[in-house]
Amino acid sequence: MKTALCYVSRHHGNTKKVVDAIKQVGDVELIDIASGQTTDLAPFDAVGLASGIYFGTFHPSVLRFARQFLPEGKPVFFVCTCGAQRPGYTRKIAEMARAKGCPVWGTFTCRGFDTYGPFRLIGGIAKGHPNKKELESARAFYLHLQEKGGKGETE
Ligand SMILES: Cc1cc2nc3c(=O)[nH]c(=O)nc-3n(C[C@H](O)[C@H](O)[C@H](O)COP(=O)(O)O)c2cc1C
């Protein structure tokens, strides 16, 4: 399965650690959305969209990128890192995928070091995340998704 894993990792490079881990176990091309390059995602079997969580959702540049470049009907999956895990972080991006008729194959979430706002005063939260175990889980997530996705099973 040839996968484009499109990411933004601005705050501490947390999400980059996760996409790098996933790349180790598959035929995965990493696309840095911040590079601003025009991207043809049509040749890929699946597209991953990845970023930190900013004010309860994916980074706005990921949402913009997906709106512009995600082909209709292309299988997608989501990867995010966040200071604190809460439900609903994928709501907006999942709605966008649904509007394009893209089946959602799965979501990987883990914590990521966060020094935003008041958290900076206490040295940040989720220090040391993503950790080794979480990166291992990210690799396992992708391998499982590859197997499941190939059979046409969706979230
Ligand atoms: C401006 C800003 C807003 C954030 N908002 C949230 C949030 O709503 N929920 C959360 O859990 N983490 C939030 N965070 C923490 C990041 O999601 C977390 O540190 C993430 O791992 C950053 O990923 P990155 O280093 O790949 O950019 C925020 C961080 C910043 C800088």
Side-chain angles (χ1 to χ4, degrees):
M1 179 172 90
K2 198 168 164 46
T3 297
L5 184 46
C6 312
Y7 71 95
V8 168
S9 188
R10 286 263 173 94
H11 189 36
H12 285 292
N14 299 326
T15 309
K16 179 70 162 63
K17 287 181 191 160
V18 177
V19 298
D20 281 344
I22 290 175
K23 184 179 163 60
Q24 289 168 356
V25 294
D27 183 5
V28 175
E29 187 175 320
L30 294 185
I31 295 174
D32 180 1
I33 291 172
S35 74
Q37 280 171 353
T38 306
T39 311
D40 180 12
L41 299 176
F44 295 93
D45 301 309
V47 171
L49 298 166
S51 83
I53 294 302
Y54 294 82
F55 307 113
T57 189
F58 277 59
H59 193 275
S61 61
V62 179
L63 296 165
R64 264 197 312 272
F65 176 91
R67 247 178 239 119
Q68 192 176 354
F69 295 116
L70 184 63
E72 301 268 334
K74 183 70 71 184
V76 287
F77 61 95
F78 308 128
V79 172
C80 64
T81 63
C82 55
Q85 291 199 346
R86 282 197 199 94
Y89 289 153
T90 58
R91 193 180 53 80
K92 256 191 188 172
I93 201 157
E95 267 171 19
M96 191 273 311
R98 222 181 346 267
K100 286 194 174 226
C102 298
V104 177
W105 278 2
T107 301
F108 177 81
T109 310
C110 72
R111 297 187 75 194
F113 183 44
D114 179 8
T115 54
Y116 178 64
F119 295 133
R120 193 167 50 89
L121 303 174
I122 55 162
I125 58 168
K127 235 182 201 168
H129 294 270
N131 59 26
K132 245 177 157 184
K133 201 172 153 205
E134 286 158 336
L135 297 180
E136 195 46 53
S137 299
R139 286 186 279 266
F141 161 81
Y142 182 77
L143 290 172
H144 176 70
L145 181 126
Q146 187 169 251
E147 198 182 314
K148 198 175 77 157
K151 292 185 196 140
E153 297 167 18
T154 58
E155 204 175 51

Short mmCIF file of all heavy atoms in Angstrom, two decimals, residues 31-96:
data_model
loop_
_atom_site.label_atom_id
_atom_site.label_comp_id
_atom_site.label_asym_id
_atom_site.label_seq_id
_atom_site.Cartn_x
_atom_site.Cartn_y
_atom_site.Cartn_z
N ILE A 31 4.86 14.06 3.46
CA ILE A 31 4.67 15.35 2.76
C ILE A 31 4.49 16.44 3.82
O ILE A 31 3.53 16.41 4.60
CB ILE A 31 3.45 15.27 1.82
CG1 ILE A 31 3.75 14.25 0.72
CG2 ILE A 31 3.12 16.65 1.23
CD1 ILE A 31 2.59 13.95 -0.20
N ASP A 32 5.45 17.36 3.84
CA ASP A 32 5.40 18.46 4.81
C ASP A 32 4.50 19.56 4.25
O ASP A 32 4.87 20.27 3.32
CB ASP A 32 6.83 18.97 5.03
CG ASP A 32 6.89 20.11 6.03
OD1 ASP A 32 5.83 20.51 6.56
OD2 ASP A 32 8.00 20.61 6.27
N ILE A 33 3.33 19.68 4.83
CA ILE A 33 2.33 20.63 4.33
C ILE A 33 2.87 22.05 4.39
O ILE A 33 2.59 22.88 3.51
CB ILE A 33 1.02 20.48 5.14
CG1 ILE A 33 0.38 19.14 4.80
CG2 ILE A 33 0.06 21.64 4.86
CD1 ILE A 33 -0.81 18.77 5.65
N ALA A 34 3.71 22.32 5.40
CA ALA A 34 4.25 23.67 5.58
C ALA A 34 5.16 24.08 4.42
O ALA A 34 5.41 25.27 4.22
CB ALA A 34 5.01 23.75 6.89
N SER A 35 5.62 23.12 3.62
CA SER A 35 6.49 23.46 2.48
C SER A 35 5.70 24.19 1.40
O SER A 35 6.28 24.83 0.52
CB SER A 35 7.15 22.21 1.91
OG SER A 35 6.18 21.47 1.19
N GLY A 36 4.37 24.04 1.44
CA GLY A 36 3.50 24.78 0.53
C GLY A 36 3.51 24.27 -0.90
O GLY A 36 3.00 24.94 -1.80
N GLN A 37 4.08 23.08 -1.11
CA GLN A 37 4.12 22.56 -2.48
C GLN A 37 2.75 22.05 -2.92
O GLN A 37 2.00 21.51 -2.12
CB GLN A 37 5.12 21.41 -2.57
CG GLN A 37 6.55 21.90 -2.67
CD GLN A 37 7.54 20.77 -2.53
OE1 GLN A 37 7.16 19.64 -2.23
NE2 GLN A 37 8.80 21.07 -2.74
N THR A 38 2.48 22.21 -4.21
CA THR A 38 1.28 21.63 -4.78
C THR A 38 1.48 20.13 -4.81
O THR A 38 2.56 19.66 -5.15
CB THR A 38 1.08 22.14 -6.22
OG1 THR A 38 1.10 23.55 -6.17
CG2 THR A 38 -0.23 21.66 -6.80
N THR A 39 0.44 19.40 -4.45
CA THR A 39 0.65 17.97 -4.27
C THR A 39 -0.42 17.16 -4.97
O THR A 39 -1.61 17.38 -4.76
CB THR A 39 0.61 17.65 -2.76
OG1 THR A 39 1.47 18.58 -2.10
CG2 THR A 39 1.10 16.25 -2.48
N ASP A 40 0.02 16.20 -5.77
CA ASP A 40 -0.92 15.30 -6.43
C ASP A 40 -1.04 14.02 -5.59
O ASP A 40 -0.10 13.20 -5.56
CB ASP A 40 -0.42 14.98 -7.84
CG ASP A 40 -1.37 14.04 -8.56
OD1 ASP A 40 -2.50 13.83 -8.07
OD2 ASP A 40 -0.98 13.50 -9.62
N LEU A 41 -2.16 13.86 -4.94
CA LEU A 41 -2.34 12.69 -4.05
C LEU A 41 -3.03 11.53 -4.77
O LEU A 41 -3.21 10.46 -4.19
CB LEU A 41 -3.15 13.10 -2.81
CG LEU A 41 -2.50 14.17 -1.92
CD1 LEU A 41 -3.44 14.57 -0.79
CD2 LEU A 41 -1.16 13.69 -1.36
N ALA A 42 -3.38 11.75 -6.03
CA ALA A 42 -4.12 10.71 -6.78
C ALA A 42 -3.37 9.38 -6.86
O ALA A 42 -3.99 8.32 -6.73
CB ALA A 42 -4.46 11.23 -8.18
N PRO A 43 -2.04 9.36 -7.05
CA PRO A 43 -1.37 8.06 -7.21
C PRO A 43 -1.29 7.22 -5.93
O PRO A 43 -0.90 6.05 -6.01
CB PRO A 43 0.06 8.44 -7.64
CG PRO A 43 0.03 9.89 -7.99
CD PRO A 43 -1.11 10.49 -7.23
N PHE A 44 -1.64 7.76 -4.79
CA PHE A 44 -1.49 7.02 -3.53
C PHE A 44 -2.74 6.18 -3.24
O PHE A 44 -3.86 6.57 -3.57
CB PHE A 44 -1.22 7.99 -2.38
CG PHE A 44 0.10 8.71 -2.51
CD1 PHE A 44 0.17 9.95 -3.13
CD2 PHE A 44 1.27 8.13 -2.06
CE1 PHE A 44 1.38 10.62 -3.28
CE2 PHE A 44 2.49 8.78 -2.20
CZ PHE A 44 2.55 10.03 -2.81
N ASP A 45 -2.53 5.03 -2.59
CA ASP A 45 -3.66 4.18 -2.22
C ASP A 45 -4.43 4.75 -1.03
O ASP A 45 -5.62 4.53 -0.89
CB ASP A 45 -3.16 2.78 -1.84
CG ASP A 45 -2.39 2.15 -2.99
OD1 ASP A 45 -2.94 2.12 -4.10
OD2 ASP A 45 -1.24 1.70 -2.78
N ALA A 46 -3.69 5.44 -0.15
CA ALA A 46 -4.32 6.04 1.03
C ALA A 46 -3.57 7.31 1.41
O ALA A 46 -2.39 7.47 1.06
CB ALA A 46 -4.28 5.05 2.20
N VAL A 47 -4.27 8.18 2.13
CA VAL A 47 -3.67 9.46 2.55
C VAL A 47 -3.84 9.60 4.07
O VAL A 47 -4.95 9.46 4.59
CB VAL A 47 -4.34 10.65 1.84
CG1 VAL A 47 -3.87 11.98 2.44
CG2 VAL A 47 -4.03 10.62 0.34
N GLY A 48 -2.71 9.85 4.76
CA GLY A 48 -2.77 10.15 6.19
C GLY A 48 -2.67 11.66 6.38
O GLY A 48 -1.92 12.33 5.66
N LEU A 49 -3.44 12.18 7.32
CA LEU A 49 -3.39 13.62 7.64
C LEU A 49 -2.98 13.73 9.10
O LEU A 49 -3.64 13.14 9.98
CB LEU A 49 -4.76 14.25 7.39
CG LEU A 49 -5.24 14.18 5.93
CD1 LEU A 49 -6.72 14.52 5.83
CD2 LEU A 49 -4.42 15.11 5.03
N ALA A 50 -1.91 14.49 9.36
CA ALA A 50 -1.32 14.46 10.71
C ALA A 50 -0.94 15.86 11.18
O ALA A 50 -0.39 16.66 10.41
CB ALA A 50 -0.06 13.59 10.68
N SER A 51 -1.23 16.13 12.47
CA SER A 51 -0.74 17.37 13.08
C SER A 51 -0.94 17.33 14.58
O SER A 51 -1.58 16.43 15.11
CB SER A 51 -1.43 18.62 12.49
OG SER A 51 -2.67 18.88 13.10
N GLY A 52 -0.41 18.35 15.25
CA GLY A 52 -0.76 18.58 16.63
C GLY A 52 -2.20 19.10 16.68
O GLY A 52 -2.77 19.47 15.64
N ILE A 53 -2.75 19.12 17.89
CA ILE A 53 -4.10 19.67 18.05
C ILE A 53 -3.97 21.13 18.50
O ILE A 53 -3.23 21.44 19.44
CB ILE A 53 -4.91 18.85 19.08
CG1 ILE A 53 -5.16 17.43 18.53
CG2 ILE A 53 -6.23 19.52 19.43
CD1 ILE A 53 -5.90 17.37 17.19
N TYR A 54 -4.64 21.98 17.78
CA TYR A 54 -4.61 23.42 18.06
C TYR A 54 -6.04 23.89 18.30
O TYR A 54 -6.87 23.80 17.40
CB TYR A 54 -3.97 24.17 16.88
CG TYR A 54 -2.51 23.82 16.73
CD1 TYR A 54 -2.12 22.67 16.06
CD2 TYR A 54 -1.53 24.59 17.33
CE1 TYR A 54 -0.79 22.30 15.97
CE2 TYR A 54 -0.20 24.24 17.25
CZ TYR A 54 0.17 23.10 16.57
OH TYR A 54 1.49 22.74 16.50
N PHE A 55 -6.29 24.31 19.54
CA PHE A 55 -7.61 24.78 19.93
C PHE A 55 -8.70 23.78 19.54
O PHE A 55 -9.70 24.12 18.91
CB PHE A 55 -7.89 26.17 19.35
CG PHE A 55 -6.79 27.13 19.68
CD1 PHE A 55 -5.96 27.65 18.69
CD2 PHE A 55 -6.55 27.51 21.00
CE1 PHE A 55 -4.93 28.53 19.00
CE2 PHE A 55 -5.52 28.38 21.32
CZ PHE A 55 -4.70 28.89 20.32
N GLY A 56 -8.42 22.53 19.88
CA GLY A 56 -9.46 21.50 19.75
C GLY A 56 -9.60 20.86 18.39
O GLY A 56 -10.50 20.04 18.19
N THR A 57 -8.70 21.20 17.45
CA THR A 57 -8.83 20.58 16.13
C THR A 57 -7.45 20.50 15.46
O THR A 57 -6.45 20.94 16.03
CB THR A 57 -9.86 21.36 15.27
OG1 THR A 57 -10.10 20.62 14.07
CG2 THR A 57 -9.38 22.76 14.90
N PHE A 58 -7.42 19.88 14.28
CA PHE A 58 -6.15 19.80 13.54
C PHE A 58 -5.70 21.21 13.16
O PHE A 58 -6.51 22.14 13.06
CB PHE A 58 -6.33 18.94 12.28
CG PHE A 58 -6.23 17.46 12.55
CD1 PHE A 58 -7.09 16.84 13.45
CD2 PHE A 58 -5.26 16.69 11.92
CE1 PHE A 58 -6.98 15.48 13.72
CE2 PHE A 58 -5.15 15.32 12.18
CZ PHE A 58 -6.00 14.72 13.08
N HIS A 59 -4.40 21.34 12.91
CA HIS A 59 -3.87 22.65 12.51
C HIS A 59 -4.63 23.14 11.26
O HIS A 59 -4.88 22.35 10.34
CB HIS A 59 -2.38 22.54 12.21
CG HIS A 59 -1.71 23.86 12.09
ND1 HIS A 59 -1.70 24.57 10.91
CD2 HIS A 59 -1.08 24.62 13.01
CE1 HIS A 59 -1.06 25.72 11.11
NE2 HIS A 59 -0.67 25.77 12.38
N PRO A 60 -5.01 24.42 11.23
CA PRO A 60 -5.81 24.91 10.10
C PRO A 60 -5.17 24.66 8.74
O PRO A 60 -5.88 24.46 7.75
CB PRO A 60 -5.93 26.42 10.36
CG PRO A 60 -5.25 26.71 11.64
CD PRO A 60 -4.80 25.43 12.27
N SER A 61 -3.86 24.61 8.68
CA SER A 61 -3.22 24.38 7.38
C SER A 61 -3.46 22.94 6.88
O SER A 61 -3.47 22.69 5.68
CB SER A 61 -1.72 24.69 7.43
OG SER A 61 -1.09 23.86 8.37
N VAL A 62 -3.69 22.00 7.81
CA VAL A 62 -3.99 20.63 7.40
C VAL A 62 -5.40 20.58 6.82
O VAL A 62 -5.65 19.95 5.79
CB VAL A 62 -3.89 19.65 8.59
CG1 VAL A 62 -4.23 18.23 8.16
CG2 VAL A 62 -2.51 19.69 9.19
N LEU A 63 -6.30 21.28 7.49
CA LEU A 63 -7.69 21.30 7.01
C LEU A 63 -7.75 21.95 5.62
O LEU A 63 -8.41 21.45 4.71
CB LEU A 63 -8.59 22.05 8.00
CG LEU A 63 -8.70 21.36 9.38
CD1 LEU A 63 -9.28 22.30 10.43
CD2 LEU A 63 -9.55 20.10 9.30
N ARG A 64 -7.01 23.04 5.47
CA ARG A 64 -6.97 23.74 4.16
C ARG A 64 -6.39 22.83 3.08
O ARG A 64 -6.92 22.71 1.99
CB ARG A 64 -6.09 25.00 4.27
CG ARG A 64 -6.88 26.28 4.52
CD ARG A 64 -6.05 27.51 4.19
NE ARG A 64 -4.72 27.49 4.77
CZ ARG A 64 -4.39 27.93 5.98
NH1 ARG A 64 -5.33 28.41 6.78
NH2 ARG A 64 -3.15 27.88 6.42
N PHE A 65 -5.28 22.19 3.44
CA PHE A 65 -4.59 21.30 2.50
C PHE A 65 -5.53 20.17 2.06
O PHE A 65 -5.63 19.85 0.87
CB PHE A 65 -3.34 20.72 3.20
CG PHE A 65 -2.59 19.71 2.39
CD1 PHE A 65 -1.55 20.10 1.55
CD2 PHE A 65 -2.89 18.35 2.47
CE1 PHE A 65 -0.84 19.16 0.81
CE2 PHE A 65 -2.18 17.41 1.74
CZ PHE A 65 -1.16 17.82 0.91
N ALA A 66 -6.20 19.58 3.03
CA ALA A 66 -7.08 18.45 2.72
C ALA A 66 -8.23 18.91 1.82
O ALA A 66 -8.60 18.22 0.87
CB ALA A 66 -7.61 17.84 4.01
N ARG A 67 -8.77 20.08 2.14
CA ARG A 67 -9.87 20.60 1.31
C ARG A 67 -9.41 20.79 -0.13
O ARG A 67 -10.12 20.49 -1.07
CB ARG A 67 -10.34 21.95 1.87
CG ARG A 67 -11.73 21.86 2.42
CD ARG A 67 -12.22 23.15 3.01
NE ARG A 67 -12.56 22.96 4.41
CZ ARG A 67 -12.00 23.58 5.43
NH1 ARG A 67 -11.07 24.49 5.21
NH2 ARG A 67 -12.36 23.32 6.64
N GLN A 68 -8.17 21.25 -0.27
CA GLN A 68 -7.66 21.56 -1.61
C GLN A 68 -7.17 20.32 -2.37
O GLN A 68 -7.44 20.17 -3.56
CB GLN A 68 -6.51 22.56 -1.47
CG GLN A 68 -6.11 23.18 -2.79
CD GLN A 68 -5.02 24.24 -2.61
OE1 GLN A 68 -4.65 24.59 -1.47
NE2 GLN A 68 -4.51 24.75 -3.69
N PHE A 69 -6.45 19.43 -1.68
CA PHE A 69 -5.74 18.37 -2.41
C PHE A 69 -6.27 16.95 -2.23
O PHE A 69 -5.89 16.06 -3.00
CB PHE A 69 -4.25 18.38 -2.03
CG PHE A 69 -3.53 19.63 -2.43
CD1 PHE A 69 -3.00 20.48 -1.47
CD2 PHE A 69 -3.38 19.97 -3.77
CE1 PHE A 69 -2.34 21.64 -1.83
CE2 PHE A 69 -2.71 21.13 -4.14
CZ PHE A 69 -2.18 21.97 -3.17
N LEU A 70 -7.07 16.71 -1.20
CA LEU A 70 -7.53 15.34 -0.97
C LEU A 70 -8.51 14.94 -2.07
O LEU A 70 -9.56 15.56 -2.22
CB LEU A 70 -8.20 15.25 0.41
CG LEU A 70 -8.66 13.86 0.85
CD1 LEU A 70 -7.48 12.91 1.00
CD2 LEU A 70 -9.44 13.95 2.17
N PRO A 71 -8.17 13.89 -2.84
CA PRO A 71 -9.08 13.50 -3.93
C PRO A 71 -10.36 12.88 -3.37
O PRO A 71 -10.34 12.23 -2.34
CB PRO A 71 -8.28 12.45 -4.71
CG PRO A 71 -6.86 12.59 -4.27
CD PRO A 71 -6.92 13.10 -2.86
N GLU A 72 -11.46 13.09 -4.10
CA GLU A 72 -12.76 12.50 -3.72
C GLU A 72 -12.61 10.99 -3.59
O GLU A 72 -11.99 10.35 -4.46
CB GLU A 72 -13.80 12.77 -4.83
CG GLU A 72 -14.05 14.24 -5.13
CD GLU A 72 -15.19 14.81 -4.32
OE1 GLU A 72 -16.07 14.02 -3.91
OE2 GLU A 72 -15.19 16.03 -4.08
N GLY A 73 -13.16 10.44 -2.53
CA GLY A 73 -13.23 8.98 -2.37
C GLY A 73 -11.94 8.31 -1.93
O GLY A 73 -11.90 7.09 -1.79
N LYS A 74 -10.89 9.09 -1.70
CA LYS A 74 -9.59 8.50 -1.31
C LYS A 74 -9.64 8.04 0.15
O LYS A 74 -10.04 8.81 1.02
CB LYS A 74 -8.51 9.57 -1.48
CG LYS A 74 -7.10 9.12 -1.19
CD LYS A 74 -6.55 8.18 -2.22
CE LYS A 74 -6.25 8.80 -3.56
NZ LYS A 74 -5.79 7.81 -4.56
N PRO A 75 -9.25 6.79 0.44
CA PRO A 75 -9.21 6.37 1.85
C PRO A 75 -8.24 7.24 2.65
O PRO A 75 -7.15 7.56 2.19
CB PRO A 75 -8.69 4.93 1.78
CG PRO A 75 -9.02 4.47 0.39
CD PRO A 75 -8.91 5.69 -0.47
N VAL A 76 -8.68 7.63 3.85
CA VAL A 76 -7.85 8.50 4.70
C VAL A 76 -7.71 7.92 6.10
O VAL A 76 -8.53 7.10 6.54
CB VAL A 76 -8.43 9.94 4.86
CG1 VAL A 76 -8.28 10.74 3.61
CG2 VAL A 76 -9.88 9.91 5.32
N PHE A 77 -6.67 8.37 6.80
CA PHE A 77 -6.58 8.11 8.23
C PHE A 77 -5.98 9.35 8.88
O PHE A 77 -5.38 10.20 8.21
CB PHE A 77 -5.76 6.84 8.54
CG PHE A 77 -4.34 6.88 8.07
CD1 PHE A 77 -3.32 7.27 8.95
CD2 PHE A 77 -3.99 6.52 6.79
CE1 PHE A 77 -1.99 7.28 8.54
CE2 PHE A 77 -2.67 6.54 6.36
CZ PHE A 77 -1.67 6.92 7.24
N PHE A 78 -6.17 9.44 10.18
CA PHE A 78 -5.75 10.64 10.90
C PHE A 78 -4.73 10.29 11.98
O PHE A 78 -4.83 9.24 12.63
CB PHE A 78 -6.95 11.32 11.57
CG PHE A 78 -8.09 11.58 10.63
CD1 PHE A 78 -9.39 11.17 10.95
CD2 PHE A 78 -7.89 12.25 9.43
CE1 PHE A 78 -10.44 11.41 10.09
CE2 PHE A 78 -8.95 12.49 8.56
CZ PHE A 78 -10.22 12.06 8.89
N VAL A 79 -3.77 11.18 12.17
CA VAL A 79 -2.75 11.02 13.21
C VAL A 79 -2.66 12.36 13.94
O VAL A 79 -2.52 13.40 13.28
CB VAL A 79 -1.38 10.68 12.58
CG1 VAL A 79 -0.28 10.72 13.63
CG2 VAL A 79 -1.41 9.32 11.88
N CYS A 80 -2.77 12.35 15.26
CA CYS A 80 -2.59 13.62 15.96
C CYS A 80 -1.90 13.43 17.29
O CYS A 80 -1.95 12.35 17.90
CB CYS A 80 -3.92 14.37 16.13
SG CYS A 80 -5.13 13.55 17.14
N THR A 81 -1.21 14.49 17.71
CA THR A 81 -0.63 14.54 19.05
C THR A 81 -1.26 15.74 19.76
O THR A 81 -1.60 16.74 19.13
CB THR A 81 0.90 14.70 19.02
OG1 THR A 81 1.24 15.95 18.41
CG2 THR A 81 1.56 13.57 18.25
N CYS A 82 -1.41 15.61 21.08
CA CYS A 82 -2.11 16.65 21.83
C CYS A 82 -1.59 16.71 23.26
O CYS A 82 -1.07 15.72 23.76
CB CYS A 82 -3.61 16.35 21.84
SG CYS A 82 -3.99 14.71 22.46
N GLY A 83 -1.76 17.87 23.87
CA GLY A 83 -1.33 18.02 25.26
C GLY A 83 -2.15 17.14 26.19
O GLY A 83 -1.63 16.51 27.11
N ALA A 84 -3.44 17.08 25.93
CA ALA A 84 -4.35 16.30 26.78
C ALA A 84 -5.38 15.62 25.88
O ALA A 84 -5.99 16.29 25.05
CB ALA A 84 -5.04 17.22 27.77
N GLN A 85 -5.57 14.33 26.08
CA GLN A 85 -6.49 13.61 25.19
C GLN A 85 -7.94 13.87 25.57
O GLN A 85 -8.31 13.73 26.72
CB GLN A 85 -6.19 12.12 25.24
CG GLN A 85 -4.84 11.83 24.60
CD GLN A 85 -4.68 10.37 24.19
OE1 GLN A 85 -5.46 9.51 24.60
NE2 GLN A 85 -3.68 10.09 23.41
N ARG A 86 -8.69 14.27 24.58
CA ARG A 86 -10.13 14.50 24.76
C ARG A 86 -10.84 14.05 23.50
O ARG A 86 -10.24 14.10 22.42
CB ARG A 86 -10.41 16.00 24.94
CG ARG A 86 -10.09 16.48 26.32
CD ARG A 86 -10.70 17.82 26.66
NE ARG A 86 -9.95 18.34 27.79
CZ ARG A 86 -8.92 19.16 27.70
NH1 ARG A 86 -8.54 19.61 26.51
NH2 ARG A 86 -8.27 19.57 28.76
N PRO A 87 -12.11 13.68 23.60
CA PRO A 87 -12.81 13.28 22.39
C PRO A 87 -13.10 14.51 21.50
O PRO A 87 -13.13 15.64 22.01
CB PRO A 87 -14.13 12.68 22.91
CG PRO A 87 -14.27 13.18 24.30
CD PRO A 87 -12.92 13.54 24.81
N GLY A 88 -13.27 14.30 20.24
CA GLY A 88 -13.75 15.37 19.36
C GLY A 88 -12.69 16.06 18.52
O GLY A 88 -13.02 16.88 17.67
N TYR A 89 -11.41 15.72 18.75
CA TYR A 89 -10.37 16.43 18.00
C TYR A 89 -10.44 16.16 16.50
O TYR A 89 -9.96 16.97 15.69
CB TYR A 89 -8.98 16.02 18.51
CG TYR A 89 -8.62 16.53 19.88
CD1 TYR A 89 -7.71 15.83 20.68
CD2 TYR A 89 -9.15 17.71 20.38
CE1 TYR A 89 -7.35 16.30 21.94
CE2 TYR A 89 -8.80 18.18 21.65
CZ TYR A 89 -7.91 17.47 22.41
OH TYR A 89 -7.56 17.93 23.65
N THR A 90 -11.00 15.02 16.11
CA THR A 90 -11.05 14.71 14.67
C THR A 90 -12.40 15.10 14.03
O THR A 90 -12.61 14.83 12.86
CB THR A 90 -10.82 13.19 14.43
OG1 THR A 90 -11.82 12.47 15.15
CG2 THR A 90 -9.43 12.75 14.85
N ARG A 91 -13.26 15.72 14.81
CA ARG A 91 -14.62 15.98 14.31
C ARG A 91 -14.60 16.75 12.98
O ARG A 91 -15.18 16.31 11.99
CB ARG A 91 -15.45 16.71 15.36
CG ARG A 91 -16.94 16.76 15.06
CD ARG A 91 -17.71 17.50 16.13
NE ARG A 91 -17.18 18.84 16.39
CZ ARG A 91 -17.43 19.91 15.64
NH1 ARG A 91 -18.21 19.81 14.58
NH2 ARG A 91 -16.90 21.08 15.93
N LYS A 92 -13.88 17.89 12.98
CA LYS A 92 -13.88 18.75 11.79
C LYS A 92 -13.27 18.05 10.58
O LYS A 92 -13.81 18.12 9.48
CB LYS A 92 -13.04 20.01 12.08
CG LYS A 92 -13.86 21.24 12.34
CD LYS A 92 -12.96 22.45 12.34
CE LYS A 92 -13.72 23.67 12.80
NZ LYS A 92 -12.85 24.82 12.98
N ILE A 93 -12.12 17.42 10.80
CA ILE A 93 -11.42 16.81 9.67
C ILE A 93 -12.20 15.59 9.16
O ILE A 93 -12.24 15.33 7.95
CB ILE A 93 -9.94 16.48 10.04
CG1 ILE A 93 -9.11 16.36 8.77
CG2 ILE A 93 -9.80 15.26 10.92
CD1 ILE A 93 -7.64 16.58 8.97
N ALA A 94 -12.87 14.89 10.08
CA ALA A 94 -13.68 13.74 9.66
C ALA A 94 -14.89 14.22 8.85
O ALA A 94 -15.28 13.58 7.86
CB ALA A 94 -14.13 12.95 10.88
N GLU A 95 -15.46 15.35 9.24
CA GLU A 95 -16.59 15.92 8.48
C GLU A 95 -16.16 16.25 7.06
O GLU A 95 -16.87 16.00 6.09
CB GLU A 95 -17.07 17.22 9.14
CG GLU A 95 -18.17 17.03 10.14
CD GLU A 95 -18.46 18.31 10.92
OE1 GLU A 95 -18.06 19.41 10.47
OE2 GLU A 95 -19.06 18.19 12.01
N MET A 96 -14.96 16.85 6.98
CA MET A 96 -14.43 17.23 5.67
C MET A 96 -14.22 15.99 4.80
O MET A 96 -14.57 15.97 3.62
CB MET A 96 -13.13 18.00 5.90
CG MET A 96 -12.54 18.70 4.72
SD MET A 96 -11.51 17.62 3.80
CE MET A 96 -10.53 16.94 5.12
#
